[in-house]
Amino acid sequence: MTTNKAIISTENAPAAIGTYSQAVKVNNTVYLSGQIPLDPETMELVDGDFAAQAHQMFKNLSAVCEAAGGSLGDIVKLGIFLEDLSNFPIVNEVMAQYFEEPYPARAAVGVKQLPKGAMVEADGVMVL
C-alpha cells in the first residue's frame, strides 16, 4: 500500500505555536493537532468564560477539519484536555452543539496546565 502523507494548514485556525503541523493526512486518515481557544487572527486567547473558550476551540478544530476536506462529523477519536474537570458538564453541552450522534470515541483528561493559559484543548483523528 502506498502511503500518501500531506501536511494540512489553514489560516482559519491558529498557526502552530511550536514544532508541529495543524494536521497531517496519511491516506484517508487525518491526525489533528491540539487546538486551544486562540483567535486565529490575533493569536490571543478569546475573551470570556470556559464556554467561550470551548466554542472557539471547536471552531478552530472545525477549520482544520475543513482544510483537510472533512468536518467535525468525520472525527472518530476526540481527546479533550481540561485544566479543571469541574468544567466537564460544560464541555459536554458545548460539544453537543458541534457534534451529532453517533458521537466519536472520546477521552476527557484533567491536566495541570495548557499552552498560553488556555482552559481547554482538543485533538483528534478524522477518517475521510
Side-chain angles (χ1 to χ4, degrees), residues 20-40:
Y20 62 92
S21 300
Q22 290 174 330
V24 177
K25 180 179 178 184
V26 179
N27 297 324
N28 67 334
T29 303
V30 181
Y31 301 90
L32 303 156
S33 290
Q35 286 293 327
I36 59 174
L38 294 179
D39 178 313

Side-chain angles (χ1 to χ4, degrees), residues 4-25:
N4 296 311
K5 179 179 170 183
I7 302 304
I8 306 301
S9 181
T10 178
E11 293 180 2
N12 296 325
I17 56 175
T19 53
Y20 62 92
S21 300
Q22 290 174 330
V24 177
K25 180 179 178 184

Side-chain angles (χ1 to χ4, degrees), residues 2-124:
T2 303
T3 301
N4 296 311
K5 179 179 170 183
I7 302 304
I8 306 301
S9 181
T10 178
E11 293 180 2
N12 296 325
I17 56 175
T19 53
Y20 62 92
S21 300
Q22 290 174 330
V24 177
K25 180 179 178 184
V26 179
N27 297 324
N28 67 334
T29 303
V30 181
Y31 301 90
L32 303 156
S33 290
Q35 286 293 327
I36 59 174
L38 294 179
D39 178 313
E41 292 183 18
T42 66
M43 291 299 290
E44 298 295 328
L45 285 176
V46 295
D47 291 332
D49 59 5
F50 177 83
Q53 285 202 10
H55 278 288
Q56 186 64 50
M57 173 196 70
F58 283 123
K59 288 175 187 174
N60 293 343
L61 200 62
S62 178
V64 178
C65 289
E66 289 172 13
S71 70
L72 290 175
D74 296 312
I75 292 177
V76 296
K77 176 69 169 87
L78 183 68
I80 298 179
F81 308 92
L82 304 161
E83 196 176 55
D84 182 350
L85 281 174
S86 70
N87 286 318
F88 186 72
I90 299 168
V91 85
N92 281 331
E93 289 173 19
V94 173
M95 184 177 164
Q97 297 175 45
Y98 293 88
F99 291 83
E100 296 178 0
E101 291 188 50
Y103 299 121
R106 186 184 82 178
V109 179
V111 297
K112 183 176 179 180
Q113 191 174 9
L114 291 167
K116 296 208 173 240
M119 291 185 263
V120 63
E121 180 173 2
D123 68 1

